[in-house]
Amino acid sequence: MKTVRRARDRGQVTIEFLGMTPTILVTLVVLWQLVLVGYTFTLAGNAADEAVRAATAAAPGARQGACQAAGTDKLSGAWAGGASVNCTTAGGFVTADVTLNVPLLFPGTVSIPFDVKGHAGAVEEETD
């Protein structure tokens, strides 16, 4: 009697696993997308830091160009394509704002309509 019961249970486990597979896959896809969103936040913050560091060292006339170049320098092609970098100066304080598109599942393909913003600021460097 015991062996007959185990044989029937084996089929039940297979059916339960097949029923749970879509739920497991959807959970993994959602977690991966959340990882991409978090990574985009990290990239935006780092790009803003790099941009403002370069902008403070540049002459006021060349500040925006140095800011954009440094802000997109370390971004891979998937994030650099839709990146927006802008530096402003007011009262001896330089700020950099970076906006990045969040990719949908695979970087470099399609982006979701959600932008991540990074912001950094630093005091202008004095020139001798």
Side-chain angles (χ1 to χ4, degrees), residues 20-127:
M20 287 301 295
T21 300
T23 304
I24 293 168
L25 290 176
V26 167
T27 302
L28 289 174
V29 166
V30 168
L31 287 174
W32 175 247
Q33 186 61 47
L34 290 174
V35 166
L36 283 177
V37 170
Y39 185 60
T40 305
F41 270 103
T42 302
L43 287 176
N46 184 56
D49 288 340
E50 295 287 334
V52 79
R53 189 174 299 123
T56 58
R63 190 161 284 161
Q64 184 62 31
C67 175
Q68 286 181 338
T72 58
D73 182 46
K74 293 191 172 95
L75 295 176
S76 69
W79 280 273
S84 167
V85 181
N86 187 29
C87 284
T88 57
T89 304
F93 194 70
V94 180
T95 59
D97 293 304
V98 176
T99 304
L100 299 178
N101 297 329
V102 178
L104 179 64
L105 296 180
F106 301 104
T109 56
V110 178
S111 296
I112 60 176
F114 177 70
D115 292 335
V116 170
K117 298 180 188 319
H119 178 79
V123 178
E124 282 185 285
E125 291 184 9
E126 290 185 7
T127 56

